Amino acid sequence: MKRRALSFKYAFSGIFQVIREQPNFRIEAGLGILAILLGIILNISELEWAMVILLIGLVLSAEIFNTMMEDIASRFPVDHIRESTKDKSAGFVLILAIASAIIGAIIFLPKILKL
């Protein structure tokens, strides 16, 4: 039981490190909170809630993955490998963020336009 508690402690420690150190994570978390508030205000369906929560989790997880990849890539001695790895990792987050924004528009825009 103690090892399980420690694993949660370390996981939360990692999340708080990313919150402190990565401005993009804070921006994405803020947009996630905005999506949740919009969902409450616009009374979205259960399926829409599932999509919103899933996408928030995926984008924030992808940003943590990107941070990990950048940390690892920074140790590579070859500049072009290091930069290529960082660029690809950032591209991974960008594609997911764009897809999430499109899905958010599909969910929220029709409801906003009806107001």
Side-chain angles (χ1 to χ4, degrees):
M1 190 65 148
K2 185 175 179 174
R3 286 188 357 199
R4 177 77 54 206
L6 279 176
S7 68
F8 277 100
K9 176 186 172 193
Y10 296 140
F12 280 110
S13 175
I15 292 168
F16 289 125
Q17 284 176 22
V18 175
I19 291 169
R20 279 191 309 274
E21 298 169 4
Q22 298 299 320
N24 286 346
F25 186 91
R26 292 191 298 272
I27 291 167
E28 292 155 353
L31 290 171
I33 291 168
L34 177 63
I36 290 169
L37 292 174
L38 272 175
I40 293 168
I41 292 167
L42 298 173
N43 196 28
I44 63 176
S45 72
E46 289 178 8
L47 181 59
E48 290 168 331
W49 271 117
M51 291 296 296
V52 168
I53 298 303
L54 177 64
L55 290 170
I56 291 169
L58 285 172
V59 170
L60 294 178
S61 296
E63 190 61 49
I64 291 173
F65 177 81
N66 180 49
T67 299
M68 293 178 343
M69 289 303 295
E70 288 180 351
D71 289 348
I72 292 167
S74 294
R75 299 181 187 277
F76 292 157
V78 182
D79 286 342
H80 73 277
I81 294 173
R82 180 175 52 243
E83 295 309 313
S84 174
T85 301
K86 288 181 176 185
D87 291 348
K88 290 170 187 168
S89 182
F92 171 77
V93 178
L94 181 61
I95 289 169
L96 185 55
I98 290 170
S100 296
I102 292 168
I103 293 169
I106 291 168
I107 292 171
F108 293 117
L109 275 181
K111 292 171 177 31
I112 290 170
L113 294 175
K114 286 182 183 178
L115 295 178

